[in-house]
Amino acid sequence: MTADIDSHARRVGLFLNLASERRGEFQASCGELFNRLLLTETFDGATAMLARQPVDLLVLDLDGFADNGDLAAASVLIRARHGAPVLVLCPYGNTSWLPELMAAGPLTYRISPLLSEDLQQSVSQALTAPLDAAASAQQALLDKEKELRDLLAIQRSVQRALVGMDELDVMAARICNALCSFPGVRHAALFHMRERGNLVLAAQESRNHLDMVRLLQRSERLLQAELSHSFPPLMAVGSGEMVLLDAPEKAGDPELAMTLHDKGVRMVLALPLRSEAGGPVQGAVSLMFDRHIGFSREQFCGLGSLAQFISFGLAMSELKHQNDALAGKLTQITTVDALTGAYNRRHGEGELANEMRRARRYGMPLGVIAFDIDNFRSVNDIYGYPCGDQALRAVAQTVLGRLRTSDMLVRMRGEEFLIIATHTAAIDALKLAEKLRETIAGTELPGCEAVTISLGVAQAGPEEGAATLLERLDAALHRAKRAGRNCVELAMAS
């Protein structure tokens, strides 16, 4: 027997649980620790017994209870103890009750199921008063101060990890690294819920060589993994509640327990991620410890707040990147011609002015080419506007495929386009224009005859304005048309 209580010091105990077999098991394991042991299955019954008989230890076995008022009833019972000893036996899948019960009054807890010897030891410790109450109180105060320092340190580390709102995987990796600075944590992982219920492993930080992907045999669709009903972080996502597993074998999966034990894992705490109370679960944080830790209410609440802070940071990061993507789409909508994929006239004229200023500042040549599709009205009249639109798209995409990334294609109006060729002198612009003319003339367009283009080429003068340059180009383009179309003309010098 593990108890240290002498026979003359045996106490009165009250054990509360729904199932008669659980009460029988407790009586068989711990009955000899008490002069008298009261057994009940209802909170009302426990309240009546406490009113009639002082009890040295109240043991609440939460196995079988559900949150249909049972949590509130248990809290009332603990509050009525006014600080007298309470031992809570809590199934590891129902540990979200612990912080709420701790708010009602002081208690000790153990995660069930428990071996008979462990249960006896827990009851014995709960019944044993400290030899030096003052020293015990002083030590409790020192422990509380250390808890708060550890919580503040991990909070600052996570805050630093969230600065900048980088891509989610980068931020998640920094968060996991920060979480591993908490005392006893040997592995931290962050799970993120993507669209359509796809739970993925966003990041992990291992100080014990544990690979979460190998453990779960996948890195996404994790709620479909075989361990979804026994592995704490997956359970936390499924239930939306905190899950504390204080011994791997209690998960009921021998292979999982063996793997965790081999990696030195003695306890797993999983916290769901949601940016607001009652909101959708965004994922979970998993902390694996190399030791058993009896968490206080402050630690539970602090870690829960940290999880909410992480989920809020991740949500803000996602929102930022969504806004960036929307801004990019909006920019494209306002600057790009929807039909051809070329820049629109407003944006193109602004870029032409910018490039002319840049060329003037650095003494670099700037080539500009204007072209339009020959007899385009005839294409529309003969083959119809759908075929005309197809011709515009085909010509624009063909030209874009021949330009450098630094060059720019602009749709000025109708079938007229402008090419801004940076660092390009007139002679090179002429060569480019001739290649484009040949390419377009040899391109077959389904549904209509071959299409040709006429082009005008110019090099920006050192003191020339954009309006003057465009006038010269327009004049060169008209000469190309008068010359019979499907040809290139160089603009007169300014």
Side-chain angles (χ1 to χ4, degrees):
M1 176 175 169
T2 61
D4 298 325
I5 303 176
D6 296 331
S7 58
H8 69 273
R10 291 179 182 175
R11 313 292 182 85
V12 176
L14 173 59
F15 180 79
L16 168 61
N17 182 261
L18 280 172
S20 58
E21 63 270 16
R22 297 281 289 184
R23 298 195 298 279
E25 292 171 5
F26 183 84
Q27 186 172 24
S29 299
C30 304
E32 60 187 279
L33 298 177
F34 301 95
N35 286 340
R36 185 181 181 192
L37 179 59
L38 307 175
L39 305 171
T40 184
E41 65 179 15
T42 67
F43 290 104
D44 289 340
T47 301
M49 289 179 180
L50 289 174
R52 293 193 303 267
Q53 169 74 58
V55 170
D56 296 291
L57 177 64
L58 168 64
V59 181
L60 291 179
D61 186 353
L62 299 179
D63 185 45
F65 286 105
D67 192 9
N68 54 358
D70 293 338
L71 175 57
S75 298
V76 170
L77 201 57
I78 293 173
R79 193 173 294 112
R81 294 287 289 159
H82 302 294
V86 176
L87 173 63
V88 174
L89 307 179
C90 184
Y92 90 93
N94 204 28
T95 47
S96 60
W97 282 31
L98 290 176
E100 297 292 334
L101 295 178
M102 288 176 169
L107 59 85
T108 56
Y109 71 87
R110 291 297 302 273
I111 305 301
S112 59
L114 286 172
L115 295 176
S116 178
E117 294 80 3
D118 294 333
L119 181 57
Q120 287 182 14
Q121 184 180 33
S122 300
V123 171
S124 177
Q125 290 173 347
L127 283 170
T128 304
L131 296 177
D132 188 338
S136 179
Q138 180 65 26
Q139 185 59 50
L141 181 60
L142 294 175
D143 291 343
K144 194 68 66 179
E145 289 177 353
K146 183 179 184 306
E147 289 175 7
L148 293 176
R149 286 197 302 270
D150 291 339
L151 287 171
L152 288 173
I154 191 67
Q155 185 181 48
R156 286 193 292 267
S157 297
V158 171
Q159 284 176 338
R160 288 192 293 270
L162 292 173
V163 170
M165 293 187 182
D166 293 317
E167 294 293 338
L168 189 142
D169 56 344
V170 175
M171 184 181 293
R174 290 207 305 256
I175 291 171
C176 290
N177 184 271
L179 291 173
C180 278
S181 64
F182 193 78
V185 175
R186 303 298 294 164
H187 185 282
L190 193 149
F191 299 83
H192 181 244
M193 185 71 76
R194 289 184 179 168
E195 70 285 349
R196 299 178 183 175
N198 180 17
L199 182 69
V200 304
L201 176 64
Q204 62 177 322
E205 177 71 20
S206 179
R207 307 291 168 86
N208 59 356
H209 306 293
L210 174 68
D211 181 9
M212 193 69 75
V213 176
R214 183 174 298 177
L215 176 68
L216 298 174
Q217 299 182 354
R218 59 175 69 195
S219 60
E220 59 179 19
R221 305 285 176 193
L222 295 177
L223 292 180
Q224 300 173 14
E226 293 183 2
L227 296 176
S228 60
H229 298 295
S230 56
F231 192 45
L234 305 187
M235 294 172 64
V237 173
S239 66
E241 302 288 352
M242 176 188 76
V243 178
L244 174 62
L245 178 65
D246 72 338
E249 59 272 15
K250 293 181 182 180
D253 188 302
E255 187 174 350
L256 172 64
M258 185 180 300
T259 300
L260 294 181
H261 270 294
D262 288 345
K263 299 301 182 181
V265 176
R266 298 296 176 263
M267 190 171 78
V268 182
L269 175 66
L271 299 157
L273 295 177
R274 47 161 56 101
S275 54
E276 58 181 354
V281 177
Q282 300 168 306
V285 167
S286 168
L287 300 175
M288 295 188 179
F289 297 82
D290 61 4
R291 68 197 73 164
H292 295 280
I293 299 175
F295 287 118
S296 66
R297 178 173 179 263
E298 290 77 11
Q299 286 175 308
F300 276 130
C301 293
L303 291 171
S305 297
L306 191 66
Q308 186 175 16
F309 184 67
I310 290 172
S311 59
F312 181 73
L314 294 178
M316 291 298 293
S317 176
E318 284 191 87
L319 183 61
K320 176 181 180 297
H321 291 295
Q322 288 174 4
N323 287 342
D324 290 345
L326 289 173
K329 291 181 180 179
L330 181 61
T331 299
Q332 183 177 19
I333 290 172
T334 57
T335 61
V336 176
D337 176 61
L339 176 63
T340 63
Y343 287 108
N344 60 33
R345 179 172 182 172
R346 180 179 178 182
H347 183 73
E349 288 180 342
E351 287 300 312
L352 175 62
N354 291 336
E355 291 299 333
M356 291 183 72
R357 285 193 294 269
R358 189 175 292 112
R360 189 178 305 118
R361 183 183 307 118
Y362 297 106
M364 302 295 294
L366 177 66
V368 186
I369 302 170
F371 71 89
D372 69 6
I373 300 175
D374 296 329
N375 299 314
F376 185 70
R377 291 184 180 178
S378 298
V379 172
N380 280 332
D381 292 341
I382 297 173
Y383 302 103
Y385 286 98
C387 186
D389 289 347
Q390 184 178 3
L392 283 170
R393 277 194 298 269
V395 168
Q397 292 303 309
T398 301
V399 171
L400 283 169
R402 299 300 187 277
L403 298 181
R404 301 168 300 177
T405 56
S406 59
D407 297 337
M408 184 178 299
L409 177 65
V410 182
R411 184 183 181 188
M412 299 298 285
R413 65 180 71 82
E415 70 276 19
E416 297 181 16
F417 293 84
L418 181 74
I419 298 172
I420 304 171
T422 59
H423 301 176
T424 302
I427 185 64
D428 296 318
L430 274 171
K431 293 177 181 178
L432 173 61
E434 185 59 33
K435 287 181 180 179
L436 293 176
R437 185 197 65 76
E438 292 177 354
T439 300
I440 296 299
T443 300
E444 294 184 3
L445 298 178
C448 62
E449 297 178 355
V451 169
T452 62
I453 59 174
S454 299
L455 305 96
V457 178
Q459 178 178 335
E463 301 298 330
E464 189 173 24
T468 305
L469 175 62
L470 290 175
E471 287 177 2
R472 290 199 295 126
L473 271 173
D474 190 58
L477 182 58
H478 278 85
R479 288 200 306 276
K481 291 179 179 181
R482 289 195 298 270
R485 298 184 175 85
N486 193 23
C487 63
V488 179
E489 286 287 335
L490 180 65
M492 301 293 185
S494 57

